[in-house]
Structure formats: C-alpha cells, structure tokens
C-alpha cells in the first residue's frame, strides 16, 4: 500500500491518503475507511426506512412480528451512526496514534507461573473442568426446557407447520413439516428477548455440522449440539479466570477460584443450557484479560482482541453491557493509577486506544443488534400496567437475598411459592434444624468477600481499582432495572456469579497468606483452606447440583414419551392418540400436538376424539389450570389427570390430562 501511494504522490487526493497512512495506525485507518465506505454504500443503495421500514409496514397493516422492517430501520440508522463515528475516529487518528510502549513498574510486569506453581495451577484448572464436566455433561442430552425449546425452534432448526389435508380447517391438519429458519430470523428475530444472537449463530452452526456427522434420530435434531458451544465456553472460562488472576498478581487465588466456580449449581446449569448466558462466563474475563495485557504491553494485537471480545460479550447477552461499563471505567483510569506512575503521553496513548477499541465494538454491536432493540420497544408496549406493577413487587429485598444466595450456594433463599415442592431447594432448607450453622455460613462468606476486596485494595496501583470490574455490574444492572421499572428474573444477573466467587477466592488466598509466614507454610495453609472452602460449597450446593445433573429442567420430552410411547412419528402406535397443548407445552418433541387457543378448540378436540375413538391427551404447562380456559380441564367428567411433572423451578411445572372417547350420539330419527 505504501509503494502505491509513493508512486502517485503528486496526485492531491493521494497526497492526503499518503499522510493518513503514515504511522503505526495504518491498518486501523484502513479499517475505518472501509467502515465509512461500507456505511455510505448501505445508506445509498440499501433499503430505505421510509419505503420498507417500520412506519410504512405498520401503516399497511402488515404483521409486526416479522423482523424485516426492524432490520431495515436498524441497519440503516446503524450505518448512519457508524459513518459518523468512523469519520470522527479517522479525523482523530493522529491523537490515537501516539507512541505506546511497554508499561513501567510493578503493574507493567507480566506475571507467570513456573515450576511447581505452574503444575499446581494447571492441575487445579483441569480438576475444576473435570468436576464441571461430571455434573454438566449429563445435561447436554437432557430434554429442552421452554426457553431452550423456543430458541431452537424459532432461531436454529425451524418451526413446525401444519399442512391441512382434510379441508376441515387448520386445527385438523394431518401433515406436519419443518419450515426452515431464515438467517434474518437467527440474527434479528426478537419478539421476546430470547434471542441471544451470538449463541443462536453458534448453535445453528453446531447443529448443521454435527447433524451431518451424527445424524439425529428419531427427530430432526439432538439436544447436545445446541448446548455444546455454551458447555465449551464454560470450560474455557475456568482457565481464563485463573489466567486473569495470575496476570493480576494473585497466583494463589488463581488456583482456588476455578473449583469454587465449577461447584456452583448455577454455573453448572447455565454453563450447559442452550442459552447465551453461559457465553458471558467466557467473554467477560477475556475482555478483562486482554485489557490488562493491552495496558501492560500497549500492542495493537491486544487492543484488537479487546474490541472483538467486547462486541461478542454484548452480543451474547445484554447483561454484558453493564460489565463493559465497569471495565471501561477502570480501563480509562488505570494508566493514571499505574504503579509506579506512567508518563502523561503513555497514559493518553492508552486512553486513546481504549476509546478506539470500545468505539469499534460499539459500531459492530449497533450494526447487528439495533434491529433487535427496535423490536424490544414493541414487546414492552404489550405489557399492561398492572402486570408490570405485579412483577415489580418481586424486585425488592427478596430479590437481593435470592441473587446473593444463588451466588454463594447455588440455591435461592426463599424458594417456590409451593413450599411442599420436592425441588424447592433453598439455602435455609439445606441448614434445616441448624440455624446457627446457617448464619455462620452467611457470616463466613460475607467476611471472606470483604477480605477479598481488601486483598485487591492492598495491591495498590491500577490493580486496587480493578475491584470495580467484579463488583459494579450486578448492582448497576439491578439499579437500572429498578429505575426503569423493568423486571429481572434472578438468572438475568448470572454473569456476576464467577466474579463473586473470584472475590471469595481472593479472600481465601488472603487468609492463607496470613496463616503461613514461609513459602512452605503458605502453601500448606492455602491448600487446607482451599479444600475447606471447596468442601463447604460442595455440601451447600449438593441437592441442587444433583437435581440439575440427574433430570431435565422441564420434563417436556419425558411427557411426550409417556403419552405417545415414542418420539418417532413413524413408530407403531404413535398416532393412536390425539395430543394438544395449553400455554407452555412440548411442541418441539410432539410436532403433531394441536395448540389450544380458545375454549372452542377444546370442544373441537373432544369432538375429534369422540368421532375417531382415540383418547385425547392435553399438556398443561406452567400451571395452566389458573387460566380461565384452563379451568375447563378441571372438569373430571371430561378429563382425568394422568401425571404431574415437577420442574426445577416454579415456572416449569407440567400436567397431562386425558379425555377418553365417548360413543357418538346419533339422532334416532336419522337413517
């Protein structure tokens, strides 16, 4: 490129680009020029919002559940935003191109393990990964729960479509086909915030790959390929957390943290769920690691990796944005807090490069996610005020206690409304009859957490304020949700789990340092405290961990196997029954189940059962009996209960009821 500019140096336009190309930012400048050209082409030749966007689509009375008009609006506005941002970055590239060398002093040292310490560190990570795989591995082949099922059906392998072959209406269609998912839906379908786009793309790629290697049977999918990307992310997160602690100068904590994280039941669940939460476990510590290395070394390879990981974190799940707020606040302050002090030009150069990396992440994120955000406005508009008020009632002190209990033990503090539920595991129930032990556990965990924060603080320099990274995101997300009247399910905050346990590991390491004055004594005390902490967390989370490992979170697949005898539509006897579903039901595992949307549908299904002589089974998910339409199913003259499946939280209950066909009454005056 430099030779081309030299050979045309007399051309005024080339003369400008020749000046622009000088310096170590030539590759970044080229990237920004490409972004500007691509954004400009999109604005000129792409679809226009005033022609094919949301407003004309809505005015024409078209289906607003289609992501196309939102994609038109979102991509167009994002292109305009990116054009302005890239132009501003290009204009300020001279400031961003300041020389940036190795950082001085203690904070600039690259921490590494060697000898026995390296061996112990590797063994601790491998053992933690083995424990996680032991408990989470069986979950890969468990049946989907409703959010996984919705994601898979709408975003990965396709929806079922009934083809009417009888002429009696769509309710009585006899043929079911799989309608493939268009790629635009995988990227941008966001009727409900169930689409975690990077996970959806990863799951679709995994499904396509492994379906060719190991053809699924009896259905057109297998569960484990869709969960594999998250499972691998969780295993990688254990190693990255340890490496991050080593780089920050806390090798003892690095050997303790992976096991504490791997034993937590919540990490086991979301590290193997077919959802995007588990990917934040990997990308959040990767962002912190690359930022730390970029501040130390100042090299563009680390700033580029930081930009990519920030984008992937936010694209994996929206909670990642709150983590990036704390990370960037610390990143901008760190050069000025360096130990020993960093010269002004070096600090400014690092601030400029962080600004550039974060701006590139934001451009990528808005270009690909703005259509989803526009759809979210329509979802919020569908909430009634009373519903929002009712859900906000659960956002008080009870929410805080539950989330902290999940982080500390992998079990909630308050449990399900039905206290007799066999899987309503709570921390107080685990210590039933041992109230002093319960509060001792709470006090020990709290004190250890505070000691861990103090251990960060005593490190001094930039590392002292790194405490913002693990501590700030969870309360920030909670505070914003409270201010905006958005309801948070407990698991929306799960990204903070590894960071909470990281601080706990810091506290254990600090206690080990005070207990052992010599290196050997320190090693012995650290090993003893690590084993004690792991044993305590293992015991408190055992019931929840065993439940996650041994049974499906929601018994959808098991219900279909019970009713139809097989998941294979070609199996003998499969079509000897009629099935239907109300509210949350296993439509992925029973593609021939009819959807009940009104009481008339129930009447028509009963008539179909009576006319055909086939028994009618109805799946009732999420306590559908409480709905007005669900009360019809309590009529014991018409329906008999078959089985009640307990889920692993209060929203995953599943009932099956049965209607036995009755002889059709014929008119006596007829032929």
């Amino acid at each position: 490129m430099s030779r081309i500019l030299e050979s045309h140096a007399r051309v005024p336009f080339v003369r400008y680009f020749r000046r622009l190309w000088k310096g170590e930012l030539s590759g970044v400048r080229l990237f920004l020029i490409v972004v500007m050209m691509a954004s400009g082409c999109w604005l000129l030749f792409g679809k226009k919002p005033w022609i094919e966007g949301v407003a004309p689509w809505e005015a024409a009375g078209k289906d607003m559940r289609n992501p196309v008009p939102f994609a038109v609006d979102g991509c167009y506005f994002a292109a305009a935003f990116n054009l302005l941002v890239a132009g501003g970055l290009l204009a300020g590239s001279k400031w961003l191109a300041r020389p940036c060398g190795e950082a001085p002093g203690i904070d600039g040292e690259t921490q590494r393990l060697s000898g026995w310490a390296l061996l112990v560190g590797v063994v601790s990570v491998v053992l933690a990964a083995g424990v996680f795989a032991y408990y989470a591995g069986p979950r890969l082949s468990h049946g989907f729960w409703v959010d996984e099922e919705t994601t898979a059906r709408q975003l990965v392998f396709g929806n079922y479509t009934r083809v009417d072959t009888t002429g009696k209406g769509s309710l009585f269609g006899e043929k079911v086909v799989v309608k493939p998912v268009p790629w635009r839906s995988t990227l941008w379908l966001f009727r409900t915030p169930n689409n975690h786009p990077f996970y959806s793309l990863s799951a679709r790629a995994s499904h396509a790959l492994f379906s060719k290697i190991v053809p699924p049977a009896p259905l057109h999918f297998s569960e484990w390929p869709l969960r594999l990307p998250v499972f691998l992310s969780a295993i990688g997160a254990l190693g990255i957390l340890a490496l991050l602690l080593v780089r920050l100068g806390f090798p003892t904590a690095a050997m303790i943290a992976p096991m504490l994280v791997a034993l937590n039941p919540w990490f086991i669940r979301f590290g193997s769920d077919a959802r995007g939460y588990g990917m934040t476990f990997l990308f959040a510590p990767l962002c912190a690691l690359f930022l730390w290395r970029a501040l130390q070394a100042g090299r563009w390879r680390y700033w580029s990796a930081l930009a990519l990981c920030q984008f992937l974190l936010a694209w994996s799940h929206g909670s990642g944005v709150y983590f990036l707020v704390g990370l960037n606040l610390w990143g901008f302050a760190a050069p000025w807090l360096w130990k020993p002090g960093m010269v002004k030009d070096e600090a400014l150069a690092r601030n400029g490069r962080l600004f550039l990396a974060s701006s590139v992440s934001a451009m990528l994120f808005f270009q690909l996610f703005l259509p989803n955000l526009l759809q979210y406005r329509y979802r919020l508009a569908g909430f009634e005020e009373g519903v929002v008020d009712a859900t906000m009632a659960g956002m008080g002190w009870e929410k805080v206690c539950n989330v902290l209990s999940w982080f500390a033990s992998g079990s909630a503090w308050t449990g399900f409304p039905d206290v007799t539920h066999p899987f309503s595991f709570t921390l107080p129930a685990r210590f039933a009859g041992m109230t002093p032990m319960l509060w001792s556990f709470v006090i020990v965990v709290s004190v250890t957490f505070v000691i861990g924060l103090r251990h960060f603080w005593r490190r001094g320099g930039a590392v002292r304020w790194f405490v913002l990274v693990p501590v700030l995101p969870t309360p920030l997300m909670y505070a914003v949700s409270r201010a905006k009247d958005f309801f948070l399910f407990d698991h929306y905050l799960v990204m903070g789990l590894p960071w909470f346990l990281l601080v706990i590991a810091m506290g254990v390491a600090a206690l080990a340092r005070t207990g052992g004055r010599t290196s050997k004594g320190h090693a012995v005390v650290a090993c003893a405290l690590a084993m004690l902490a792991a044993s305590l967390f293992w015991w408190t989370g055992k019931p929840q961990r065993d439940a996650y490992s041994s049974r499906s979170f929601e018994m959808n697949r098991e219900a279909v196997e019970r009713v139809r005898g097989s998941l294979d539509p070609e199996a003998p006897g499969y079509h000897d029954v009629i099935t239907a579903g109300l509210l949350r039901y296993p439509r992925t595992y029973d593609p021939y189940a009819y959807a009940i949307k009104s009481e008339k549908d129930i009447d028509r299904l009963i008539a179909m059962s009576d006319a055909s002589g086939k028994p009618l089974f109805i799946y009732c998910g999420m306590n559908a009996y409480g709905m007005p339409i669900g009360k019809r199913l309590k009529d014991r003259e018409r329906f008999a209960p078959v089985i009640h499946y307990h889920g692993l939280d209060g929203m995953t209950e599943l009932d099956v009821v049965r209607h036995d066909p009755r002889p059709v009454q014929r008119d006596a005056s007829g032929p």
Side-chain angles (χ1 to χ4, degrees), residues 584-604:
R584 291 165 54 150
Y585 67 93
R587 65 188 72 188
T588 298
Y589 293 103
D590 191 349
Y592 284 86
Y594 298 104
I596 297 176
K597 299 180 180 179
S598 67
E599 293 192 31
K600 290 183 178 180
D601 289 340
I602 296 178
D603 294 332
R604 295 168 71 183

Side-chain angles (χ1 to χ4, degrees), residues 84 108 138 150 190 292 305 398 497 517 535-536:
L84 294 175
T150 302
F190 210 69
W292 180 246
E398 179 182 338
L497 166 66
R517 299 301 179 183
S535 300
L536 183 61

Side-chain angles (χ1 to χ4, degrees), residues 30 121 126 148 181 187 219 227 232 279 301 428 509 514 546 595 633 646 671:
L30 177 62
V126 171
E148 294 178 302
V181 176
L187 282 171
L219 297 174
R227 292 188 171 120
L232 296 178
M279 289 187 160
R301 68 180 70 172
T514 59
D546 290 345
L633 305 180
H646 288 293

Side-chain angles (χ1 to χ4, degrees), residues 385-396:
E385 184 177 352
V387 175
V388 175
D389 291 343
T391 56
M392 285 305 299
M395 287 290 288

Side-chain angles (χ1 to χ4, degrees), residues 256-257 259-265 404-411 427 430-431 441 444-446 448-449 497 500-505 508 529-543 545:
I256 299 172
M259 183 60 74
L260 300 187
V261 174
L263 283 170
N264 189 280
L404 291 176
S405 181
W406 281 116
F407 285 0
S409 68
S411 301
L427 186 58
R430 184 59 175 154
F431 288 90
F441 173 80
V444 167
V445 171
S446 302
T448 307
F449 186 83
L497 166 66
F500 178 89
L501 295 174
L502 178 145
V503 177
I504 295 292
V508 175
L529 287 178
M531 293 178 64
L532 180 62
S535 300
L536 183 61
F537 281 103
W538 174 84
W539 184 83
T540 54
K542 187 178 186 304
R545 193 166 49 246

Side-chain angles (χ1 to χ4, degrees), residues 282-368:
L282 174 64
F283 290 122
L286 269 178
C287 287
L289 178 62
F290 282 127
L291 177 55
W292 180 246
R293 291 295 293 127
L295 291 171
Q296 286 181 319
R299 296 180 181 178
W300 279 111
R301 68 180 70 172
Y302 297 121
W303 296 110
S304 301
L306 171 64
L308 177 62
C309 288
Q310 286 190 123
F311 160 65
L312 292 177
L313 174 61
W315 209 33
S316 294
H317 190 257
S319 61
V321 174
Y322 296 92
F323 176 83
L324 294 178
V325 170
L327 184 69
N328 279 269
L329 284 175
W330 174 77
F332 281 111
W336 306 97
L337 303 170
W338 211 254
K339 184 181 178 181
M342 189 181 295
V343 297
K344 182 178 179 180
D345 286 345
E346 289 284 347
L348 287 174
R350 282 165 169 77
N351 283 169
R353 296 188 181 201
L354 176 57
F355 181 79
L356 175 63
S358 297
S359 298
V360 170
S361 303
M363 287 192 292
L364 291 171
F365 179 71
F366 276 111
Q367 187 65 54
L368 290 172

Side-chain angles (χ1 to χ4, degrees), residues 410-470:
S411 301
W413 184 264
T414 56
F416 304 160
D418 180 9
V419 295
T420 64
H421 196 289
F423 300 108
S424 181
F425 302 118
T426 63
L427 186 58
R430 184 59 175 154
F431 288 90
M434 299 182 290
T435 302
M437 294 294 294
L438 168 64
W439 290 108
S440 298
F441 173 80
V442 172
I443 292 171
V444 167
V445 171
S446 302
V447 171
T448 307
F449 186 83
V450 173
I451 293 173
L453 297 180
R454 182 173 176 270
H455 198 28
F456 264 120
W457 191 260
R458 293 186 64 183
R459 180 69 161 75
V463 178
R464 166 179 291 179
W465 291 99
F466 185 83
V467 72
L468 287 174
V469 177

Side-chain angles (χ1 to χ4, degrees), residues 468-489:
L468 287 174
V469 177
V471 170
L472 182 62
T474 300
L476 179 62
M477 186 175 180
Y478 174 79
V480 171
S481 299
R482 288 280 296 179
K484 296 290 186 179
D485 288 343
F486 290 163
F487 179 72
L488 285 177
F489 289 104

